[in-house]
Amino acid sequence: MASGIDIANRARAEKNEIGGRCGNNNKYTHWYSDNVDNIGYNFWWCAAFVTYVVRAWGISTSIVPNYAYCPDCISWARSRGRLHSKSQLTSGAYTPQPGDIFLREGHTGIIVSVSGSQFTTVEGNTGGSTNNRTVGSHTWSFEGGNYDYVFNPDYPDKSATLTGSGGVESYMYSENSYGDSAKEGTVVWNNRVKESIHAAMENLAPIPPQETLMLYCGETDITGMIGNLTWKNSIYELATNMSFDIAKSDGAYIKELLYVPKAGEIIRMVTNTEIFRGVITKVDDGNPNENKYTVVDLGWYLNKTSQTYQFKNITAKDAITEICNDLSIKIAMLPELSTVIKQIYFDKTISAIITDILSKCGGDYNYDFVPEGLRIYKIGDLVAYPEFRVASNVAQAYSPDYKGNVSHSVSIEEMKNSIKITSEKDSVYTELMVLQNRELIDKYGFLQKIVKIDPEKEKADAVAQKELDANAKEMETYSIEIIEKYDSYTRAGEVIKVDGANYVITSTNHSFKNGWHYDKMELKLTA
């Protein structure tokens, strides 16, 4: 059954698909003329857009009528007692809901979110020039919005109706919480406390650009003392990890010259800009000749820190923003994530919560930390172009053209080409469905995975498809090693071109030896 939230999400998906490119002779005018009323393909199509979206979710004409002329829908909704005037919204007599339809004599669209006394829309036939409209969005106050009425359709699923001040709610709480298993989960909290994830690391004075790679412990330059410097990151874990050694001596004179970093101190790596900032989490001082150091960035704290949240009808972008605000985490990059989150997270790490939120948004996202803050981006959006120069009088070269230590393998050891979905309740086990990749079964043999779900919380077909997509494939590993300039930092999650093909960098392992910056990276072909 469809809810207003479902309609709102479909409208957003249409906007994202169109991406600002549409025009007046488009799929909505064609659909309307071919399926509802043959009025040609070039007409004002805001109402056709609304009709298309609700029909795509199977909403019948007894709930939302077919209409190409806005006054027809106004009259239809008024006759059924489901039309609300602007004055009813401004007085508080009616609070609009996601999936509601705004109307005026010459325009209409779908309300996709509500916050306080304003709502956001997705509309067809808006923006651009008169003959080149597209699917766009506006945010209007109840009082000042360019609308006359709001139509509240009687959608079959009413579980996602908003209440209170717009119904957009989120809570952070660390004790006194519970869930009611018989009903929707509920939350009680009484100590909402915001805590900076690491205040000292967030408030550091900038270090001037350097002409070579430099390492600082606090304000102290330790570049000349360190050896075996490496740092690595991966799309499979949030934190970037660094390691290095520092020689030590029992001699009193030498001791006075050496700076010995301690656990908890902040390490910064600087080239022509600061490229890494982290905290010493481990000092291995058992060797009489040297100390070994482990340093991690803020991602490590998100992997280690647990919290409990409840999000109710809040966009993924707003949910992540609130998490970052609660922990005083700066955001360096965050795309529009319009998926609505309705979820309780109990005793989950911050990184696990963010990972789950992103998994609901569709597509592959990566997130990492740079000194400016948290970056979240779609894999494929950032492109790496590492270069190096053999000598000052030689032109720069594209590093992958001179790759070394190439390794490649293909394996089916982790393949699953059949997914069986089961459930269990009161010791009764039920097989719900099986989804298979017949081509892979015929080629490699039968390899099945069984997944148990709660049918009240998960859809069997969706889980099966997700598992099959993840497991029904050959596993290819491809790694290369390159040399980069001192001020180049290729990261996991970026896309790099090697031998004419685009690969996603799944992990990097950097090292700095004798003035040369090496990077061993693992790759996978882009989809």
Side-chain angles (χ1 to χ4, degrees):
M1 293 190 300
S3 67
I5 294 290
D6 295 324
I7 301 303
N9 285 339
R10 180 55 186 255
R12 286 192 180 101
E14 293 295 324
K15 177 177 177 289
N16 292 338
E17 177 186 325
I18 295 301
R21 304 174 300 277
C22 196
N24 288 0
N25 189 335
N26 55 56
K27 75 174 189 178
Y28 309 110
T29 61
H30 279 251
W31 175 86
Y32 194 90
S33 284
D34 293 344
N35 295 277
V36 180
D37 186 7
N38 187 7
I39 57 176
Y41 297 143
N42 195 351
F43 58 90
W44 289 1
W45 48 276
C46 56
F49 172 79
V50 173
T51 307
Y52 175 91
V53 169
V54 297
R55 296 294 169 263
W57 252 106
I59 299 300
S60 73
T61 55
S62 64
I63 296 173
V64 178
N66 293 324
Y67 69 106
Y69 181 53
C70 296
D72 288 345
C73 186
I74 292 172
S75 298
W76 190 96
R78 179 183 286 121
S79 69
R80 287 157 176 79
R82 306 200 70 85
L83 193 70
H84 306 278
S85 66
K86 179 184 286 189
S87 62
Q88 287 179 289
L89 271 67
T90 56
S91 69
Y94 178 71
T95 299
Q97 309 289 317
D100 280 3
I101 297 167
F102 79 84
L103 291 148
R104 62 177 188 266
E105 183 173 344
H107 193 51
T108 186
I110 295 171
I111 294 173
V112 296
S113 65
V114 183
S115 179
S117 60
Q118 64 182 23
F119 60 77
T120 299
T121 68
V122 169
E123 312 151 37
N125 195 40
T126 189
S129 61
T130 302
N131 295 314
N132 192 29
R133 304 293 193 189
T134 188
V135 179
S137 178
H138 293 97
T139 296
W140 290 330
S141 67
F142 292 175
E143 183 175 2
N146 191 11
Y147 72 101
D148 294 325
Y149 304 99
V150 168
F151 165 30
N152 172 232
D154 186 20
Y155 294 119
D157 183 358
K158 300 173 180 59
S159 63
T161 301
L162 302 186
T163 58
S165 60
V168 180
E169 304 174 52
S170 61
Y171 305 98
M172 180 184 77
Y173 54 96
S174 53
E175 57 182 316
N176 300 321
S177 60
Y178 66 89
D180 183 351
S181 59
K183 302 177 182 178
E184 178 188 341
T186 55
V187 172
V188 174
W189 55 269
N190 64 6
N191 67 333
R192 184 185 179 104
V193 178
K194 295 188 177 184
E195 188 69 64
S196 175
I197 196 73
H198 199 298
M201 194 150 57
E202 289 290 306
N203 299 297
L204 293 171
I207 294 177
Q210 305 295 316
E211 295 183 356
T212 185
L213 187 147
M214 305 286 287
L215 212 65
Y216 293 84
C217 182
E219 303 297 325
T220 302
D221 178 5
I222 59 172
T223 310
M225 306 177 192
I226 66 169
N228 297 321
L229 172 62
T230 67
W231 66 99
K232 58 185 179 180
N233 54 34
S234 165
I235 63 172
Y236 305 113
E237 58 183 65
L238 177 56
T240 294
N241 294 269
M242 173 185 283
S243 65
F244 58 83
D245 305 337
I246 291 184
K248 61 183 181 181
S249 171
D250 288 334
Y253 174 71
I254 299 297
K255 271 187 174 182
E256 291 181 1
L257 295 177
L258 294 177
Y259 183 83
V260 182
K262 300 177 179 60
E265 291 196 273
I266 296 171
I267 298 294
R268 304 164 79 181
M269 185 160 58
V270 182
T271 57
N272 58 1
T273 186
E274 185 176 348
I275 61 174
F276 174 85
R277 182 181 298 181
V279 177
I280 298 173
T281 56
K282 183 179 179 181
V283 181
D284 182 350
D285 58 3
N287 187 314
N289 299 314
E290 64 182 13
N291 286 349
K292 296 181 180 295
Y293 293 88
T294 300
V295 186
V296 297
D297 67 8
L298 282 179
W300 181 84
Y301 286 85
L302 271 60
N303 292 334
K304 294 291 186 179
T305 300
S306 297
Q307 189 52 273
T308 310
Y309 276 90
Q310 180 183 33
F311 297 114
K312 296 180 67 176
N313 303 322
I314 187 170
T315 67
K317 180 179 181 180
D318 288 343
I320 292 171
T321 299
E322 177 154 341
I323 291 171
C324 291
N325 288 341
D326 287 339
L327 295 169
S328 298
I329 296 171
K330 296 177 181 177
I331 297 176
M333 184 183 299
L334 180 61
E336 288 295 331
L337 301 169
S338 58
T339 300
V340 174
I341 305 299
K342 186 178 182 183
Q343 183 78 36
I344 291 176
Y345 297 101
F346 183 75
D347 191 22
K348 299 291 186 182
T349 64
I350 299 300
S351 60
I353 294 172
I354 294 176
T355 298
D356 186 72
I357 290 171
L358 292 174
S359 73
K360 300 177 187 299
C361 295
D364 292 328
Y365 288 89
N366 189 50
Y367 57 114
D368 58 19
F369 274 93
V370 293
E372 295 77 23
L374 176 68
R375 301 192 309 175
I376 296 179
Y377 56 91
K378 202 161 191 175
I379 290 180
D381 285 353
L382 302 182
V383 178
Y385 197 87
E387 295 179 304
F388 78 107
R389 192 193 306 269
V390 175
S392 59
N393 61 344
V394 177
Q396 289 188 156
Y398 182 54
S399 299
D401 289 345
Y402 299 88
K403 61 186 180 295
N405 294 326
V406 177
S407 173
H408 181 263
S409 66
V410 178
S411 170
I412 65 167
E413 291 178 343
E414 303 300 323
M415 177 186 290
K416 300 295 180 184
N417 48 35
S418 178
I419 305 295
K420 177 182 285 189
I421 306 297
T422 67
S423 66
E424 182 270 328
K425 186 174 183 180
D426 299 329
S427 298
V428 176
Y429 294 83
T430 304
E431 295 182 353
L432 300 175
M433 68 172 294
V434 174
L435 187 64
Q436 299 178 326
N437 185 315
R438 176 50 55 184
E439 181 181 352
L440 292 182
I441 291 175
D442 293 342
K443 183 176 181 179
Y444 295 117
F446 181 62
L447 298 163
Q448 180 163 277
K449 179 179 180 179
I450 296 177
V451 180
K452 187 169 73 172
I453 68 168
D454 181 348
E456 295 181 0
K457 298 180 179 179
E458 300 175 282
K459 294 182 178 180
D461 56 349
V463 173
Q465 189 64 61
K466 182 178 179 181
E467 289 287 340
L468 195 67
D469 290 344
N471 293 284
K473 54 189 175 184
E474 298 171 336
M475 297 302 294
E476 180 182 17
T477 60
Y478 181 32
S479 65
I480 62 174
E481 187 171 30
I482 63 172
I483 296 174
E484 299 188 60
K485 294 187 298 181
Y486 86 97
D487 57 355
S488 175
Y489 182 8
T490 302
R491 294 173 178 265
E494 297 174 338
V495 171
I496 191 169
K497 181 169 286 189
V498 180
D499 295 332
N502 287 326
Y503 292 86
V504 174
I505 303 170
T506 59
S507 70
T508 66
N509 193 340
H510 298 260
S511 59
F512 200 72
K513 303 173 184 176
N514 300 319
W516 291 95
H517 176 189
Y518 298 90
D519 181 10
K520 186 174 181 60
M521 58 181 69
E522 295 187 353
L523 311 172
K524 70 175 182 179
L525 274 171
T526 57

